[in-house]
Amino acid sequence: MKKIKIAVVGYGNRGQVYADYSLDEPNEVEVAAVIDPNEYKLSVAKARYHMTDGQLFTSYADFVASNLEVDIVVNATMEQYHYQTAMEILQSKRHMLIEKPIVANKEELFDIQRTAKENGCMVFVCHVLRYSPFYKAIKNIIADGNLGEITSMEMNEHVWVPHFVGSYGRGKWNKESVCGSPILLAKCCHDMDLICWLNGGNKPRKVACFGHRKQFIKANKPEGATEYCFDCPHEKECPYSAVAMHYDRDTMPFLTWDSLNKPYNEITKEEKEAFLRKDIYGQCIFDIDGDVMDRQNLIVDFDNGAVVTFTLSCGTCRPDRYIHIVGTKGEVEGKLEENKFVLRRYNREVSYREEIVDVSKQIVNNVQYGGHSGGDYGIMYDLVRYLNGERNSMSITLLDDSVASHLLVYAAEESRKTERFVKL
């Protein structure tokens, strides 16, 4: 099998996740180039993958001018830069693996799709949950006909407090006007992709969506609370305290301390306190002017008659994804975080047979922070084989396959904002 040479554009957390596959499987992937305007991140990549200065670039134009040969470019930039960087990559006639979401509107989505075809480029989308053993096993059961025709799906995503506060409260995705994506696109396009993929490629035709931001708003700020948590009289009892969440317990450090340009384990307590006394990560969560939803619900009607409900709940006590699919012959029900689900099949005794499908031993997690239940490793494993000519992956997410789920999000957001059903 040919070793795949990759170039990584945007060496943040996600860029490192995909590049680190080369450390686990050095015979399959080589990091041939890293492109990032941040010199510190380039130095980290240089040491981590034993690269030379000639493999490091601060702009994509410089990389193209170098004439370095790579098999595929990994676009792991923030989504507000996806359109610009995707067009540069495709116009240089290179295949691309792009982090989700692709872009925030259908005009740019179709432009990327057209440009890829004009330049003969394959585009893969990082819907990594497709590659987790949990959802792959469910897909196999559906494909084998065990459920019959799908009649309904219920899916829920629960975003626990540190994740919501760290990413969508104090984090880089707290304002649609800045990051370009509503939370339904930035966080839940995984779920929208799963809804379409598990339903056998059938297309959503109509959607209704409801959502609000009601919890982390200025109206709920405790009386007398200060702008920064370190000075706040409520700090000791506040469940969302930046001191407790980021300073004491150090939840999601790859987000909190990213801008300090220093290894997380080398940042001193003094440096952390100084940072939190002036940065958004140290601010009162109720004071931050965010605009993404903290609860949302969709009802989707598919062209095969299946109906789907999806509920996003933010600020939950623990994270999980729940799924319940009902078909004409049986059903599956389970939670991703438990890595197992129940398969039930109806029988003539007016009862059912039930079996537990446990996929926990199939999970390979090579990621320090995250891993998506094996999906981060799985996407690179399948991608390497696809680029080597193997076309038997049920999960491989080519661009054309991701269009429907993105259009579903665009339509859902239109429904939420206009308070009406929207046809796709």
Side-chain angles (χ1 to χ4, degrees), residues 327-346:
T328 54
K329 294 181 180 179
E331 59 188 65
V332 294
E333 182 179 18
K335 290 184 177 181
L336 172 65
E337 282 67 25
E338 295 175 355
N339 293 307
K340 60 184 178 182
F341 58 87
V342 180
L343 169 62
R344 304 184 187 99
R345 280 170 285 198
Y346 186 75

Side-chain angles (χ1 to χ4, degrees), residues 148-401:
E149 295 181 12
I150 292 176
T151 61
S152 66
M153 292 189 197
E154 177 189 352
M155 293 176 65
N156 299 335
E157 181 176 5
H158 301 150
V159 184
W160 70 314
V161 170
H163 193 168
F164 183 82
V165 171
S167 296
Y168 307 100
R170 298 182 175 115
K172 294 182 284 188
W173 296 272
N174 71 340
K175 294 190 76 170
E176 183 180 347
S177 56
V178 176
C179 74
S181 298
I183 192 170
L184 194 63
L185 189 63
K187 184 77 177 77
C188 305
C189 70
H190 281 311
D191 306 278
M192 300 302 104
D193 174 68
L194 290 170
I195 286 170
C196 296
W197 180 58
L198 293 173
N199 200 15
N202 291 288
K203 299 294 189 293
R205 70 180 194 91
K206 188 163 55 176
V207 61
C209 180
F210 311 91
H212 303 281
R213 186 184 180 93
K214 291 289 187 181
Q215 185 173 0
F216 302 107
I217 57 176
K218 292 181 186 295
N220 294 334
K221 183 177 179 178
E223 186 176 352
T226 57
E227 182 181 3
Y228 289 91
C229 292
F230 263 100
D231 306 314
C232 186
H234 300 284
E235 191 278 316
K236 295 301 181 185
E237 65 268 10
C238 178
Y240 313 112
S241 162
V243 180
M245 193 174 295
H246 308 303
Y247 182 79
D248 293 337
R249 293 174 179 80
D250 208 8
T251 60
M252 305 187 80
F254 59 94
L255 293 175
T256 314
W257 317 118
D258 182 62
S259 62
L260 291 180
N261 291 330
K262 190 175 181 179
Y264 311 137
N265 59 357
E266 294 180 12
I267 302 173
T268 66
K269 283 284 190 180
E270 293 74 21
E271 289 173 321
K272 289 180 179 180
E273 179 174 346
F275 176 77
L276 292 175
R277 284 185 176 277
K278 63 182 180 180
D279 188 82
I280 190 172
Y281 272 99
Q283 281 188 284
C284 173
I285 188 61
F286 299 103
D287 233 6
I288 295 168
D289 189 26
D291 61 12
V292 298
M293 304 295 99
D294 57 31
R295 65 206 67 177
Q296 205 153 351
N297 181 266
L298 282 75
I299 305 171
V300 188
D301 186 24
F302 274 78
D303 59 9
N304 66 335
V307 291
V308 177
T309 60
F310 172 76
T311 300
L312 168 69
S313 301
C314 298
T316 60
C317 294
R318 69 175 194 175
D320 62 38
R321 275 183 164 99
Y322 168 83
I323 186 168
H324 186 188
I325 302 177
V326 177
T328 54
K329 294 181 180 179
E331 59 188 65
V332 294
E333 182 179 18
K335 290 184 177 181
L336 172 65
E337 282 67 25
E338 295 175 355
N339 293 307
K340 60 184 178 182
F341 58 87
V342 180
L343 169 62
R344 304 184 187 99
R345 280 170 285 198
Y346 186 75
N347 60 34
R348 59 181 286 141
E349 283 74 35
V350 195
S351 182
Y352 58 86
R353 289 174 291 122
E354 180 175 286
E355 64 177 283
I356 304 296
V357 181
D358 189 333
V359 300
S360 55
K361 293 183 179 179
Q362 301 174 31
I363 294 171
V364 179
N365 184 12
N366 65 331
V367 181
Q368 185 176 5
Y369 301 109
H372 289 98
S373 298
D376 287 341
Y377 181 92
I379 190 172
M380 293 301 294
Y381 181 93
D382 278 20
L383 180 68
V384 167
R385 281 146 186 81
Y386 194 92
L387 293 175
N388 270 284
E390 295 183 21
R391 298 292 191 263
N392 57 355
S393 169
M394 71 168 66
S395 303
I396 207 74
T397 321
L398 288 162
L399 177 61
D400 290 350
D401 200 22

Side-chain angles (χ1 to χ4, degrees), residues 6-12 31-46 51-70 73-74 77 88 94:
I6 66 172
V8 179
V9 183
Y11 191 67
V31 181
V34 173
I35 302 100
D36 197 295
N38 187 314
E39 295 281 1
Y40 167 73
K41 291 186 175 180
L42 291 180
S43 70
V44 171
K46 179 181 179 180
M51 305 175 76
T52 67
D53 289 337
Q55 295 174 292
L56 307 172
F57 306 90
T58 56
S59 73
Y60 190 77
D62 289 342
F63 163 69
V64 172
S66 73
N67 291 318
L68 269 177
E69 288 296 323
V70 298
V73 177
V74 178
T77 59
E88 288 180 329
R94 288 175 169 87

